[in-house]
Amino acid sequence: NAGVTQTPKFQVLKTGQSMTLQCAQDMNHNSMYWYRQDPGMGLRLIYYSASEGTTDKGEVPNGYNVSRLNKREFSLRLESAAPSQTSVYFCASSERGGENIQYFGAGTRLSVL
Amino acid sequence: KQEVTQIPAALSVPEGENLVLNCSFTDSAIYNLQWFRQDPGKGLTSLLLIQSSQREQTSGRLNASLDKSSGRSTLYIAASQPGDSATYLCAVLTSGTYKYIFGTGTRLKVLA
């Protein structure tokens, strides 16, 4: 099993450009998450999807949109990238919300110049 | 608002030592708490999940305890090895929410 797969692994954008971070899981999990990790800030939740077809805002949703395309895939879109969005982005999944262990992808390292 | 603190931020110990990592949280109404390990440049791996009704969980050389009333959890690592070197994070799920709140982690280095 691949677990949680994120693409791309690295990306450099110019201010104002847009891009979509892709995430897919092969564990038949219901819940999926997007986090960002910044030095000294810990991980912060951007968006959450409890199940296919539902999404909810986390702590830091501004500047991002998400799509739960199907049970496997949960994408994160930056419509107009800003330097403040330079971060490491992690996708995670769990069988059913916070009751279960979360499995993380390897991350996408994004720099916005 | 739930806040999670991990002290110390960094720790360096010789191989073979038993060690304790600390995690404290401000709102004791939690659903569960997870301890994660993160290697440099990698994602997080869940080590232990403690439900609010539990006092401790064990996996191999790892033991995590939970004291909800005092807002504390500890991760005990027995007979530390260089391969244990990593950043350890705790995350708390407050009751009635789906949002894990993460601490900033303790960066552990075990010296051979």
Side-chain angles (χ1 to χ4, degrees):
Chain A
N1 281 346
V4 179
T5 303
Q6 290 183 237
T7 56
K9 292 191 181 343
F10 301 93
Q11 185 71 48
V12 178
L13 293 177
K14 293 181 180 178
T15 298
Q17 287 185 317
S18 63
M19 78 161 296
T20 299
L21 281 63
Q22 307 286 353
C23 175
Q25 51 89 10
D26 62 2
M27 295 173 282
N28 201 37
H29 285 170
N30 290 300
S31 301
M32 297 185 75
Y33 314 79
W34 276 106
Y35 294 91
R36 60 179 288 174
Q37 185 176 35
D38 302 292
M41 300 288 289
L43 272 81
R44 292 179 292 169
L45 183 67
I46 305 171
Y47 270 94
Y48 161 76
S49 173
S51 60
E52 183 179 352
T54 68
T55 60
D56 289 289
K57 294 179 180 179
E59 293 178 77
V60 288
N62 291 343
Y64 306 96
N65 286 302
V66 290
S67 296
R68 183 73 184 269
L69 303 169
N70 47 54
K71 194 171 186 179
R72 290 187 64 248
E73 299 172 286
F74 188 38
S75 63
L76 179 71
R77 182 161 178 83
L78 286 70
E79 291 290 352
S80 179
S84 61
Q85 294 178 305
T86 294
S87 187
V88 181
Y89 292 84
F90 289 102
C91 177
S93 70
S94 64
E95 186 177 337
R96 190 175 61 248
E99 299 176 24
N100 306 107
I101 290 170
Q102 292 195 1
Y103 295 84
F104 281 75
T108 295
R109 282 147 188 82
L110 175 67
S111 291
V112 183
L113 306 177
Chain B
K1 179 185 171 185
Q2 179 75 271
E3 292 181 4
V4 180
T5 304
Q6 292 184 249
I7 295 173
L11 183 62
S12 200
V13 300
E15 182 177 8
E17 273 204 7
N18 300 324
L19 56 99
V20 173
L21 306 181
N22 297 299
C23 172
S24 60
F25 46 94
T26 55
D27 184 348
S28 61
I30 68 168
Y31 192 80
N32 65 41
L33 182 147
Q34 285 196 55
W35 281 95
F36 294 86
R37 169 184 172 137
Q38 185 176 27
D39 292 288
K42 307 285 187 181
L44 282 68
T45 300
S46 182
L47 298 173
L48 291 163
L49 185 153
I50 311 178
Q51 301 292 350
S52 62
S53 58
Q54 297 174 317
R55 293 300 301 266
E56 64 179 330
Q57 280 281 6
T58 298
S59 176
R61 294 183 293 108
L62 305 179
N63 176 277
S65 66
L66 175 64
D67 184 344
K68 276 199 318 178
S69 60
S70 67
R72 297 185 65 180
S73 176
T74 60
L75 179 66
Y76 175 82
I77 303 176
S80 58
Q81 303 170 358
D84 295 329
S85 298
T87 297
Y88 292 81
L89 299 102
C90 70
V92 170
L93 185 67
T94 304
S95 296
T97 77
Y98 53 78
K99 304 174 187 178
Y100 272 102
I101 303 298
F102 282 78
T104 52
T106 293
R107 191 169 62 254
L108 172 66
K109 188 167 185 178
V110 181
L111 305 170

